[in-house]
Amino acid sequence: MPVARPETSDARVIVHVDMDCFYVQVEQRKQPELRGLPSAVVQYNEWQGGGLIAVSYEARKCGVKRSMRGDEAKAACPQIQLVQVPVARGKADLNLYRSAGSEVVSILAKSGKCERASIDEVYLDLTDAAESMLADAPPESLELIDEEVLKSHILGMNREDGDDFKESVRNWICREDADRRDKLLSCGIIIVAELRKQVLKETEFTCSAGIAHNKMLAKLASGMNKPAQQTVVPYAAVQELLSSLPIKKMKQLGGKLGTSLQTDLGVDTVGDLLQFSETKLQEHYGVNTGTWLWNIARGISGEEVQGRLLPKSHGSGKTFPGPRALKSLSTVQHWLNQLSEELSERLGSDLEQNKRIASTLTLHASAFRSKDSDSHKKFPSKSCPMRYGVTKIQEDAFNLFQAALREYMGSFGIKPQGNKLETWRITGLSVSASKIVDIPSGTSSIMRYFQSQPTVPSRSADGCVQGNVAMTASASEGCSEQRSTETQAAMPEVDTGVTYTLPNFENQDKDIDLVSEKDVVSCPSNEATDVSTQSESNKGTQTKRIGRKMNNSKEKNRGMPSIVDIFKNYNATPPSKQETQEDSTVSSASKRAKLSSSSHNSQVNQEVEESRETDWGYKTDEIDQSVFDELPVEIQRELRSFLRTNKQFNTGKSKGDGSTSSIAHYFPPLNR
DNA sequence: ACGGCTCAAACC
DNA sequence: TGGTTTGAG
């Protein structure tokens, strides 16, 4: 739960931008014939017409609702146009929508601190811009006010008799006797109207926006008048707005906590919360949540807009409901391969576009066992250090799965023998990559090293699982004594043509050795290597091998910094700069923010504080030798020189300054 | 054991 | 920490 700021006077200008039925709009842009028609986006139309994930406003008027099935939608609204989500590798592919969302973000991010809250939602902190406008060209000085501004909804606004709506809005915005906070909001209104027009012009997407003094209120407001409108919450309107607002409408209270408030405390509206003392709420829900509740009842929320334009993790998953549940290890492996492919591809794009690498791979699965009481026990998640390259991700994911499966079965008291009819089913699989850090600029060979790991499998190896599933140092730890027969027995193969071979644990050491050598080594020393060519020939690469032999699986990485740890540390710069590429000047507002709020990046900040800001960089000799040894010598050299010089430009994120374009020259795009 | 697929964050 | 849980769109 976000820690609320005790401050009562919050003069920030916070905006929540929400795209209108976003997926539909994306499809309508692609297929303009659909514009204005009742339409919806569905995924997987095999079963009952597929599930709706976005519904146009025309279709909503016909009574079509999200979370209807395609067939129901057709019944409710026969003229409805159903568009399918693209499918790749047998699963829904959301990349189209993701990149459309990025288009929007990159426009909005120019206006102030920007947080990408979801694929189609953004928070903005426009305090600085609003203050500037108020100083330079306050609304009351403007003779012409844009039409879009005049269409704004202002909560609690007194509509004077005789005036039409737009006149009232104009008067409110331009009135000179307004509170300073209202004047800031007025500036926000004008700026946001302009931003929304710009988004429409450059992306063809409409959006709605809420403008208020904090995120909570802005979010509430953005949903009040849709589509393509904006709503403002002046300070004076807060109490009335909240007093009658159903408690479950509040963000974070839509789930169990909200239900508990209703049933345990008899709280139905946010206003009802006002009766309870802070300590009372803390008794029920703990100190943090209690204080948070006490504050939001009063419209107080100190949550900062995070300066973050990019996601902190990437995931690829699929569910296998009911009869489709996976019954064999080989089908699990098949799907993990598909999911890993997608993940790898997205990691490749992230590396290419944002120069970031992920450092942790996590596998999630859900399982059940039919005909048993304890049937739905949690299937454990497992993670391991991230290695780049499709096949490595596939191997690691599969090994993680097997480790988790063993643990899962163990918790039931497994029967190593047969039991073929006691069937386990896998109903969901997902792989995700997290702990993503920036790669510092000026380390081109490091970049190339990661890019040299193919993100998609070469044609020849595509689809089929090749011979032996090699154990890897990263994912096989912790299940080293696993017997293959156990796994085999628990997940008998039944239903696919895909063949696989179980990991050969006997020769584990050899396998690791082979894999790690082949994998670690392949970094071309010449500069003009085409990435695609390189990927194809990856296997046969005649690279000289460098690096430590990892022929002992017990030799763990624990305690030794890895290459990504170095980047992580590099990224943990003193909090003088926001995480976006924005070149924002440090404003009085952000100074204020720093003083009064405890940052969410506490761990990062702590590290920084402990190691002192002036001394945050690694010294070369502080890095474990084995870290270097893992890498091709060329990278070792570059890394060394990077570490030597980075203190001179330790302002944090690699700054643009023209080096960006030369970087782009160094890194040709991957082929898909 | 159908809403599928993502994400973030708190918690322990 | 990693893993779990919750909540959101």
Side-chain angles (χ1 to χ4, degrees), chain A residues 581-643:
Chain A
Q581 298 89 314
E582 289 300 301
D583 213 354
S584 70
T585 58
V586 181
S587 67
S588 57
S590 34
K591 284 184 214 150
R592 233 186 300 121
K594 221 131 280 157
L595 291 175
S596 50
S597 94
S598 71
S599 167
H600 286 187
N601 308 331
S602 53
Q603 44 181 4
V604 171
N605 288 338
Q606 257 179 346
E607 272 181 41
V608 170
E609 278 162 25
E610 280 167 17
S611 61
R612 307 238 343 269
E613 291 192 6
T614 54
D615 191 31
W616 60 275
Y618 263 102
K619 296 195 193 73
T620 305
D621 51 8
E622 283 172 356
I623 299 173
D624 193 288
Q625 187 58 39
S626 61
V627 172
F628 281 115
D629 293 348
E630 288 174 18
L631 299 167
V633 67
E634 181 186 332
I635 291 184
Q636 295 180 29
R637 197 177 307 121
E638 177 169 0
L639 186 54
R640 228 178 290 260
S641 101
F642 161 70
L643 290 168

Side-chain angles (χ1 to χ4, degrees), chain A residues 48-76:
Chain A
Q48 300 190 9
L52 271 59
I53 55 177
V55 181
S56 80
Y57 285 85
E58 292 84 356
R60 293 184 201 194
K61 282 182 218 154
C62 307
V64 178
K65 296 204 229 165
R66 210 180 15 243
S67 116
M68 267 180 165
R69 298 254 115 204
D71 292 345
E72 306 174 61
K74 272 287 187 193

Side-chain angles (χ1 to χ4, degrees), chain A residues 92-107:
Chain A
D93 178 6
L94 305 180
N95 280 325
L96 180 65
Y97 313 115
R98 266 191 278 263
S99 57
S102 298
E103 292 178 44
V104 177
V105 167
S106 61
I107 293 170

Side-chain angles (χ1 to χ4, degrees), chain A residues 347-409:
Chain A
L347 287 172
S349 306
D350 201 342
L351 174 59
E352 198 182 316
Q353 294 165 16
N354 309 313
K355 319 255 186 297
R356 307 193 301 168
I357 57 176
S359 56
T360 300
L361 176 71
T362 306
L363 174 127
H364 298 275
S366 48
F368 76 94
R369 164 164 91 161
S370 65
K371 72 161 35 169
D372 194 16
S373 54
D374 212 357
S375 148
H376 67 62
K377 196 167 229 210
K378 307 276 159 208
F379 198 91
S381 300
K382 291 289 163 207
S383 58
C384 71
M386 186 86 215
R387 300 187 307 153
Y388 272 60
V390 225
T391 52
K392 291 178 199 163
I393 297 175
Q394 290 171 331
E395 288 169 7
D396 290 347
F398 187 55
N399 285 325
L400 289 173
F401 176 84
Q402 291 177 97
L405 177 63
R406 207 174 75 92
E407 190 175 312
Y408 182 64
M409 295 188 309

Side-chain angles (χ1 to χ4, degrees), chain A residues 19-32 34-35 39 41 54 83-86 93-104 119-120 203-206:
Chain A
M19 305 308 293
D20 306 318
C21 56
F22 189 48
Y23 291 12
V24 169
Q25 284 204 80
V26 172
E27 296 296 344
Q28 285 177 334
R29 182 173 74 172
K30 198 168 69 178
Q31 241 178 301
L34 296 176
R35 287 215 136 97
S39 47
V41 175
V83 184
Q84 281 182 250
V85 173
D93 178 6
L94 305 180
N95 280 325
L96 180 65
Y97 313 115
R98 266 191 278 263
S99 57
S102 298
E103 292 178 44
V104 177
I119 201 168
D120 69 339
T203 68
E204 302 178 30
F205 300 142
T206 68

Side-chain angles (χ1 to χ4, degrees), chain A residues 86-331:
Chain A
V87 171
R89 304 178 187 93
K91 66 179 292 298
D93 178 6
L94 305 180
N95 280 325
L96 180 65
Y97 313 115
R98 266 191 278 263
S99 57
S102 298
E103 292 178 44
V104 177
V105 167
S106 61
I107 293 170
L108 296 177
K110 291 189 264 192
S111 62
K113 205 199 284 180
C114 178
E115 172 183 338
R116 180 175 180 158
S118 80
I119 201 168
D120 69 339
E121 280 179 297
V122 159
Y123 286 99
L124 295 174
D125 187 334
L126 295 186
T127 309
D128 291 352
E131 281 173 349
S132 301
M133 178 183 283
L134 192 55
D136 301 344
E140 66 234 46
S141 74
L142 303 176
E143 64 271 11
L144 199 61
I145 305 265
D146 189 273
E147 270 304 290
E148 195 57 43
V149 172
L150 298 178
K151 288 192 275 184
S152 302
H153 300 263
I154 301 172
L155 295 187
M157 186 181 69
N158 245 9
R159 269 193 73 177
E160 298 124 36
D161 274 340
D163 279 359
D164 71 351
F165 182 83
K166 290 179 181 173
E167 253 334 283
S168 304
V169 173
R170 182 199 306 278
N171 289 337
W172 193 91
I173 289 175
C174 296
R175 108 205 109 105
E176 298 184 26
D177 61 335
D179 191 284
R180 170 171 169 86
R181 285 177 302 178
D182 278 356
K183 289 188 176 178
L184 286 171
L185 288 183
S186 293
C187 295
I189 294 172
I190 295 171
I191 296 168
V192 172
E194 206 53 48
L195 282 174
R196 290 177 42 246
K197 281 170 61 177
Q198 193 184 344
V199 167
L200 180 57
K201 185 178 173 194
E202 295 185 17
T203 68
E204 302 178 30
F205 300 142
T206 68
C207 59
S208 300
I211 303 150
H213 291 307
N214 62 50
K215 287 172 82 172
M216 168 195 92
L217 296 171
K219 164 82 178 158
L220 269 180
S222 70
M224 300 186 69
N225 295 284
K226 286 183 128 272
Q229 296 166 80
Q230 58 186 52
T231 306
V232 192
V233 187
Y235 179 74
V238 172
Q239 284 287 20
E240 192 192 338
L241 166 65
L242 295 181
S243 66
S244 62
L245 187 76
I247 194 78
K248 304 208 80 174
K249 295 272 188 192
M250 290 284 314
K251 193 180 166 191
Q252 303 288 309
L253 297 182
K256 296 185 177 181
L257 181 53
T259 304
S260 165
L261 282 167
Q262 291 177 306
T263 62
D264 300 338
L265 297 186
V267 169
D268 287 319
T269 71
V270 179
D272 295 343
L273 262 183
L274 287 171
Q275 321 165 129
F276 296 91
S277 70
E278 183 173 359
T279 45
K280 190 77 178 173
L281 293 171
Q282 288 175 332
E283 283 167 20
H284 276 264
Y285 301 107
V287 274
N288 285 339
T289 306
T291 298
W292 180 80
L293 285 169
W294 190 89
N295 278 312
I296 62 135
R298 291 152 181 81
I300 298 171
S301 162
E303 239 186 306
E304 298 281 328
V305 173
Q306 317 263 116
R308 200 194 69 239
L309 308 183
L310 301 172
K312 304 171 88 169
S313 66
H314 297 290
S316 174
K318 181 169 175 60
T319 56
F320 307 96
R324 303 200 194 182
L326 308 185
K327 302 191 275 282
S328 75
L329 244 201
S330 61
T331 46

